[in-house]
Amino acid sequence: MPPTDGSTPNTVSAELEHVRRYWANMKPNSPVYTSLLGDINIFSAIKGQIIAYLKVLPVHLNSKKTLHGVVSSCIMDWAGGMAIASTGLDNTGLSTDIHTTFVSTAREGDLLEIEGKASKVGASLAFTTIEIRHAGEREVVAHGTHTKYIKG
């Protein structure tokens, strides 16, 4: 059952602590992330995977009052980086490629579940997959891939 009150899991893994710390350090330096993802709840993390929740707010909507595509793409970028951070890295690199496929949509008040997975973290590149779903329903809103250059 997804959290509706900003709650956290009963046990906090080392990976979750690391990802939350990484996010806390990164967020103030990114006006885009602060504006669009400031209220995101990083709920769980294990090595190579994160789960987060975001309530859809008016700032996330397009002119048709549904989730704006730029928000979904921003989530892809963010979740890919957080999945990489869950492997213990302190630098999640630079984006080289992001693909977002829009499957459905969401409306104001909907709770989104975001799952980011690091498929492979190599010496130079990291590959991630991300899925955005309606929390509790498992209906996919968008899915995608994100590749990052992590060397140096």
Side-chain angles (χ1 to χ4, degrees):
M1 184 71 161
T4 57
D5 59 359
S7 64
T8 59
N10 291 334
T11 58
V12 177
S13 67
E15 292 89 355
L16 181 57
E17 285 181 3
H18 180 74
V19 170
R20 285 181 174 164
R21 191 169 42 254
Y22 183 82
W23 172 233
N25 290 331
M26 182 174 64
K27 183 167 58 169
N29 299 315
S30 174
V32 171
Y33 281 162
T34 301
S35 173
L36 295 178
L37 305 178
D39 293 334
I40 204 159
N41 175 11
I42 305 170
F43 185 72
S44 67
I46 58 174
K47 186 174 182 178
Q49 179 182 6
I50 63 104
I51 301 286
Y53 292 92
L54 180 68
K55 185 174 182 179
V56 179
L57 302 174
V59 70
H60 301 133
L61 304 178
N62 60 24
S63 63
K64 295 179 177 41
K65 305 294 184 199
T66 61
L67 186 66
H68 199 294
V70 76
V71 176
S72 296
S73 294
C74 181
I75 291 169
M76 295 295 163
D77 183 29
W78 177 86
M82 294 303 111
I84 295 166
S86 75
T87 68
L89 294 183
D90 289 320
N91 178 2
T92 64
L94 304 169
S95 298
T96 62
D97 191 52
I98 298 177
H99 289 270
T100 305
T101 300
F102 307 100
V103 180
S104 180
T105 194
R107 299 190 182 283
E108 183 178 351
D110 288 354
L111 183 64
L112 301 177
E113 180 179 77
I114 301 150
E115 181 178 23
K117 293 181 180 179
S119 308
K120 178 178 179 171
V121 178
S124 298
L125 293 173
F127 302 88
T128 67
T129 59
I130 301 94
E131 192 170 89
I132 304 168
R133 303 179 285 261
H134 285 278
E137 298 174 23
R138 311 298 290 177
E139 177 189 3
V140 175
V141 173
H143 61 84
T145 59
H146 185 197
T147 306
K148 296 190 87 171
Y149 177 75
I150 57 172
K151 188 173 183 179

